[in-house]
Amino acid sequence: VQLQACGGGLVQAGGSLRLSCAASGRTFSKYTMGWFRQAPGKEREFVSFISASGGTTSYVDSVKGRFTISRDNAKNTVYLQMNSLKPEDTAEYYCAAKRFGMTMTANEFDYWGQGTQVTVSS
C-alpha cells in the first residue's frame, strides 16, 4: 500500500484545513487508517483513526470536537477535516494504514505516507 497525503498549508488560528490521503491498491477498505502528527522537537503523536468500515473513530483529546476523520472507500481516500485550528496544531501530519485491528500506537501501523505540513499562525 502506498499512501499520498496532501492538503496542508498555512492558516490563521481559527481557520480550517482538510487533509487527504490517497491509497494505492485494491484492499484499502480492509485497512484501519490513522493520522499522526509530529511537531519540531517532539515525538510523533496520534491524532485520529477510523476503522476499515468507517464505523469506529477515535481522536486524541486535544482535537475532539474540532477534527473529523472520514473515509471514502470507493475513492481509496481518508480525510481529516480540521476546524478551529490552533497554533499548537502546527506539525507535519502523516497518514498511516493498519491491516488488522485498530490502534493508536504508531509502530503498530503497517504503512506510512509522506507528511504534509500544517502551520497555524496566531
Side-chain angles (χ1 to χ4, degrees), residues 4 19-20 25 36 55 79 101 106 117:
Q4 181 77 30
L19 306 183
S20 299
F36 292 79
Y79 306 97
Q117 178 67 37

Side-chain angles (χ1 to χ4, degrees), residues 61-119:
D61 285 348
S62 60
V63 309
K64 284 180 180 177
R66 300 188 298 122
F67 290 12
T68 302
I69 192 170
S70 62
R71 66 190 296 158
D72 185 336
N73 285 343
K75 295 182 178 180
N76 281 13
T77 302
V78 62
Y79 306 97
L80 186 68
Q81 178 67 43
M82 305 186 295
N83 298 329
S84 302
L85 282 161
K86 304 176 181 180
E88 49 265 44
D89 294 318
T90 294
E92 191 87 0
Y93 283 70
Y94 299 86
C95 62
K98 177 174 172 55
R99 179 61 179 89
F100 296 105
M102 296 177 284
T103 183
M104 296 181 284
T105 304
N107 63 16
E108 294 182 8
F109 279 79
D110 302 307
Y111 301 97
W112 290 84
Q114 91 295 350
T116 185
Q117 178 67 37
V118 171
T119 303

Side-chain angles (χ1 to χ4, degrees), residues 47-60:
V47 176
S48 181
F49 76 68
I50 186 167
S51 64
S53 68
T56 301
T57 59
S58 180
Y59 301 90
V60 66

